[in-house]
Amino acid sequence: MQSRVAAIIVAAGRGERAGQSQEGPKQYRRIGGRAVLAHTVATFRAHDAIDEIVLVVHPDDHALLAAALGPLIEGVTVVDGGRERQESVRLGLQALAGSPPESVLIHDGVRPFADTALIDAVIAAVSAEAGAIPSLAVADTLKRSGPEGVVTETLDRSGLYAAQTPQGFPFRKIREAHEAASVSGRSGFTDDASIAEWAGIPVRLVEGAPDNVKLTTARDIALADRKLRGDRAMIDVRTGNGYDVHRLVAGNHVTLCGVRIAHDQTLDGHSDADVGLHALTDALLATCGAGDIGDHFPPSDPQWKGAASHIFVQKAVAIIRDHGGRIMNADISLICEAPKIAPHREAMCEAIAAMTGLSRDRVSVKATTNETIGFVGRKEGIAAIATASVAYGESR
């Protein structure tokens, strides 16, 4: 009878070295049109020898996970992780303890290029007494640095290897090692093989794969995306336009681009009547053919009575993300005789940057009058025109 093999995929990290992104932590960023983590999970789901998958994620990431994996999540056990990788792995092992497998593979969720041959090699090398890890011989000359970055020593690289994942172990032994490390207060282990070594479990080396890289920085993610898209890669930047107008009535303020401005009139509308954000919402939705603001927030629905319009923009941002898009810039022109926009422009730009996840230099708010012509010139209403550009991961 073939022994049972489980896989634990660790994806609870915050990925700070990859920088901030509206897509979330690096495991949810898109490469080749879908999330890094989706590529990783798909590989293990497709492997004939893997009987069970436990996915360890951050407690705050369940919505991101569902959006990233879609149907891939079916049959996968999802576990909340801890503050450190070591604790996350321990919790993943704990989730398997009720029906323990003979062997377990532990893999980084941000290594999306592990392949069937590598997984086969690790599984084959695991025994009832010993673990196995993929590794590559160190090719670069190694230096030790002293104070102020001065080289103090050249190290002998013979016998040195860079460890990869998945790392495989006899389940009972590695679980006991993790529990012992936790009870003793030992932390700071950088991988599971180091815990195995500490617990006296032999660990064999198998040949790793040069492509089995861990995506750590924003550059790593960009290179992985380029690799997966290959010949399909092309510039896919889409531009959407939006227009909105609301009439002015007696009041004491207007809300424009998320900023409340004292005024002797107010904009009339079902929500807060923020023409700038309404136009921006339509511009964003247009980049992926997702209709307009009225489709998602109909004025006939009482729940949107008096609603703050940043809700509409954030919904459009989420729709773009679900379509694999990344907002590049937003530009809004306000057309009104009053109030004066210039004193509030910076606050408006900052508000829009926060709603969209854009940096400040990618947001523009401008204003012009209508030279006293028409309904705007007569101060009967305010209009807005918005343009947004969104880059999508691949042409569709």
Side-chain angles (χ1 to χ4, degrees):
M1 181 177 176
Q2 186 177 5
S3 63
R4 287 180 63 245
V5 179
I8 296 173
I9 299 174
V10 188
R14 299 290 83 190
E16 293 179 0
R17 280 185 287 174
Q20 298 298 312
S21 169
Q22 62 194 38
E23 294 177 341
K26 60 186 178 181
Q27 57 268 38
Y28 300 106
R29 304 205 191 164
R30 290 179 177 266
I31 58 172
R34 63 177 176 172
V36 170
L37 187 57
H39 290 279
T40 305
V41 172
T43 298
F44 281 84
R45 277 185 61 107
H47 197 287
D48 292 340
I50 304 299
D51 299 292
E52 184 174 358
I53 297 174
V54 172
L55 184 55
V56 188
V57 302
H58 193 280
D60 295 341
D61 289 351
H62 286 270
L64 285 173
L65 178 67
L69 263 58
L72 283 173
I73 204 168
E74 295 176 10
V76 174
T77 300
V78 178
V79 176
D80 286 344
R83 295 186 63 180
E84 302 292 338
R85 183 188 186 280
Q86 181 179 329
E87 177 64 6
S88 292
V89 174
R90 189 186 72 81
L91 292 168
L93 291 165
Q94 188 178 84
L96 290 167
S99 179
E102 282 72 27
S103 302
V104 62
L105 302 185
I106 303 169
H107 187 63
D108 297 325
V110 289
R111 286 187 189 267
F113 298 122
D115 58 21
T116 299
L118 184 66
I119 295 171
D120 285 341
V122 175
I123 291 174
V126 175
S127 69
E129 301 299 325
I133 65 171
S135 63
L136 294 174
V138 174
D140 295 327
T141 298
L142 301 177
K143 304 289 184 180
R144 190 186 303 279
S145 172
E148 300 180 1
V150 177
V151 173
T152 61
E153 183 182 3
T154 298
L155 304 179
D156 181 4
R157 70 188 179 201
S158 60
L160 294 181
Y161 292 83
Q164 299 181 331
T165 68
Q167 300 187 351
F169 305 93
F171 176 78
R172 181 182 60 81
K173 285 184 173 292
I174 194 63
R175 181 168 186 246
E176 289 174 353
H178 265 279
E179 293 295 337
S182 178
V183 169
S184 67
R186 293 292 300 268
S187 62
F189 292 104
T190 56
D191 70 350
D192 301 288
S194 58
I195 293 180
E197 296 160 32
W198 171 77
I201 303 170
V203 178
R204 300 187 180 100
L205 299 179
V206 300
E207 184 68 25
D211 288 344
N212 183 29
V213 294
K214 184 177 181 180
L215 305 186
T216 302
T217 67
R219 182 176 183 274
D220 295 336
I221 295 167
L223 290 174
D225 181 46
R226 192 177 307 162
K227 172 183 175 179
L228 286 172
R229 287 186 291 136
D231 291 338
R232 294 178 295 126
M234 63 174 290
I235 296 174
D236 186 17
V237 178
R238 309 177 194 178
T239 300
N241 295 311
Y243 173 81
D244 193 45
V245 61
H246 281 276
R247 70 188 183 103
L248 286 162
V249 296
N252 59 15
H253 78 280
V254 293
T255 300
L256 294 171
C257 296
V259 176
R260 182 185 172 106
I261 303 171
H263 189 48
D264 60 2
Q265 293 177 293
T266 195
L267 288 165
D268 185 31
H270 187 63
S271 64
D272 64 4
D274 188 330
V275 291
L277 295 188
H278 292 186
L280 177 60
T281 301
D282 277 348
L284 292 168
L285 293 171
T287 66
C288 55
D292 62 24
I293 192 170
D295 295 324
H296 299 276
F297 305 96
S300 58
D301 190 336
Q303 71 172 305
W304 308 121
K305 179 67 175 176
S309 294
H310 68 81
I311 296 171
F312 309 153
V313 174
Q314 289 167 340
K315 174 66 174 179
V317 170
I319 290 171
I320 286 170
R321 184 188 65 218
D322 291 343
H323 282 76
R326 181 165 59 94
I327 302 170
M328 303 299 291
N329 81 292
D331 176 41
I332 299 173
S333 294
L334 298 170
I335 308 166
C336 59
E337 300 297 322
K340 294 290 186 183
I341 300 303
H344 309 283
R345 181 182 290 117
E346 188 59 31
M348 292 177 179
C349 290
E350 292 288 352
I352 292 167
M355 294 172 212
T356 58
L358 289 167
S359 59
R360 169 61 187 84
D361 63 334
R362 293 180 179 268
V363 178
S364 173
V365 173
K366 308 186 299 295
T368 186
T369 70
N370 219 39
E371 298 292 340
T372 71
I373 301 169
F375 72 91
V376 171
R378 295 190 298 269
K379 300 183 181 179
E380 295 172 1
I382 295 177
I385 299 171
T387 302
S389 295
V390 179
Y392 286 85
E394 57 182 19
S395 59
R396 305 183 315 146

